[in-house]
Amino acid sequence: MGAVAVGVPRPSLKDKNIVSSSASVLCLTGHKEDLLARKAALELARMLGHTVTVTVGLHIDNASAEAIAMLEANFQELLRQICLWAAA
């Protein structure tokens, strides 16, 4: 694991009729998964209306920029599919 995020749904600060969310993130030193964990926690908490915990751990030794971009794209696609599944 490189990062963990907790997302909490809350009323939007701009419109109390809209659900938004807040997130708290812990990221281990030397890891960069915090932005992915935060994005997923915010989106899932808002969509589901429940507190969620997301852990992210992606690792490839000596990863190239292209490999990192592919991991991030795959993570975004997985998040999209989870959201579609949860909305059904």
Side-chain angles (χ1 to χ4, degrees):
M1 178 198 63
V4 61
V6 178
V8 180
R10 61 166 175 77
S12 169
L13 298 175
K14 294 181 180 180
D15 182 347
K16 293 179 183 179
N17 297 312
I18 296 174
V19 177
S20 187
S21 58
S22 295
S24 297
V25 181
L26 292 172
C27 189
L28 297 177
T29 302
H31 289 263
K32 297 183 179 182
E33 293 96 339
D34 53 323
L35 296 178
L36 296 174
R38 183 176 190 277
K39 178 178 179 170
L42 288 171
E43 193 166 334
L44 291 169
R46 180 192 54 76
M47 190 184 89
L48 298 172
H50 294 284
T51 299
V52 300
T53 303
V54 175
T55 59
V56 180
L58 304 173
H59 184 81
I60 295 177
D61 287 333
N62 304 312
S64 66
E66 293 81 18
I68 292 170
M70 184 180 294
L71 285 171
E72 290 177 351
N74 288 340
F75 182 88
Q76 299 301 337
E77 176 59 19
L78 178 61
L79 178 59
R80 186 187 74 76
Q81 289 183 24
I82 289 169
C83 288
L84 288 172
W85 172 79

